[in-house]
Amino acid sequence: MIERIGAYTIRFFEPPTIIGFGAVAGKKEVEGPLGKGFEKVYYDSRAGQKTWEKAEAKFQQEAFLLAMKKAEKKAEEIDFIFAGDLLNQLISSSYSMRDFNIPYLGQYGACSTMAQGLIMASMAVAGGGARTAGVVTSSHFCTAERQYRYPLEYGGIRTQTAQWTVTGSGSAIVSNQGKGPKIIHATVGKIVDKGVTDINNMGAAMAPANVKRVT
C-alpha cells in the first residue's frame, strides 16, 4: 500500500528493498573522494569501444550485471528496467538494455535520473505491478559535452568554474523481498526556473529545485 503525505511525498507501508547495486566509473572519478566505492574502473574513456556513446552503454551493462550478481537475480527475473542517460532518445540506455530482453521504461531526469528511477521502481514494486525491478543510469563527460556544450573535437576553451560531467554508471535492484536498505518514503520535486542561462553553471540552474522556501 502507498499513502500520499502532503503535496510532494509518498509513504510505502511495505517498503521496497534494494537487494543489489553496482557502480562503474572512469579514470577521473576514481581519483576523487569516492574512488574506493566504485567496483569497476575504466581508465580508457572509450572502454574499448569505437565511440564514447558505445562506451557509455557498456558502462551501463557492467553496472547492471554487477547489481544483478549481488542480488542473485537473472535478467528473466527482473519485471521492469527503469533506465536513463543524458543523450537524445536515451541512446545509451536503449542500446545497453536491448539484449537483456526486459520490459523497458526510459527515464530522462538529468542528475535526478537515479532518484527518479528508484521512485518509479519502488512504486511498481510496492503497488504490486512488479516483484523485482532494475534501475540504471549513466553519464559520460565526452558524450555530454557534445550534447550540451561543444564537441571536444571543436577545441573550445572551458571556463575555470565549469562542471565536469561524471563518466560512469550506477545500478540498483529493487524488490519486494530480501535484505538491504529499505525505501520508506519518496519525495518528488517540481520544476523551478530562476532564469539561469550560463551553460557552464548547471549547478546554479538545478540548485533552486532542492531548496524549500520557508515563509
Side-chain angles (χ1 to χ4, degrees):
M1 181 178 175
I2 303 173
E3 178 189 28
R4 189 174 184 87
I5 305 173
Y8 305 102
T9 301
I10 58 175
R11 177 197 300 170
F12 301 107
F13 282 93
E14 295 181 1
T17 304
I18 298 176
I19 60 173
F21 58 89
V24 179
K27 177 179 181 295
K28 182 175 286 292
E29 288 66 34
V30 79
E31 293 172 351
L34 301 178
K36 294 182 180 180
F38 301 117
E39 296 153 289
K40 190 162 187 176
V41 178
Y42 281 99
Y43 291 93
D44 168 21
S45 62
R46 278 201 168 95
Q49 305 299 304
K50 291 184 178 181
T51 68
W52 289 312
E53 288 78 10
K54 288 184 177 181
E56 187 173 345
K58 185 173 181 179
F59 279 31
Q60 280 202 13
Q61 290 175 337
E62 296 285 355
F64 185 48
L65 288 169
L66 284 167
M68 285 197 295
K69 182 177 180 180
K70 287 185 180 179
E72 298 182 348
K73 295 288 184 181
K74 297 179 180 179
E76 53 266 30
E77 297 177 276
I78 308 295
D79 296 315
F80 294 108
I81 182 73
F82 297 87
D85 55 73
L86 299 178
L87 306 182
N88 286 335
Q89 289 80 48
L90 300 177
I91 187 170
S92 294
S93 303
S94 299
Y95 275 86
S96 69
M97 294 294 112
R98 65 178 180 176
D99 294 330
F100 288 106
N101 198 33
I102 300 171
Y104 167 87
L105 290 161
Q107 307 292 300
Y108 195 99
C111 293
S112 68
T113 300
M114 177 53 79
Q116 176 177 312
L118 286 171
I119 291 172
M120 300 300 291
S122 297
M123 292 177 70
V125 169
R131 294 156 297 181
T132 305
V135 181
V136 62
T137 186
S138 67
S139 61
H140 194 298
F141 171 72
C142 300
T143 65
E145 285 297 297
R146 181 152 49 203
Q147 179 82 36
Y148 295 108
R149 299 184 183 95
Y150 304 105
L152 298 185
E153 300 90 332
Y154 177 79
I157 304 299
R158 293 169 58 81
T159 65
Q160 293 183 340
T161 57
Q163 278 79 27
W164 187 285
T165 306
V166 167
T167 297
S169 176
S171 181
I173 307 297
V174 180
S175 179
N176 59 6
Q177 296 181 354
K179 296 181 180 180
K182 304 288 185 180
I183 300 175
I184 300 173
H185 296 89
T187 299
V188 180
K190 61 183 181 180
I191 297 171
V192 178
D193 187 351
K194 293 295 185 179
V196 177
T197 58
D198 181 358
I199 63 172
N200 293 303
N201 192 4
M202 290 186 175
M206 293 185 287
N210 296 303
V211 178
K212 181 178 181 181
R213 183 178 179 182
V214 178
T215 56

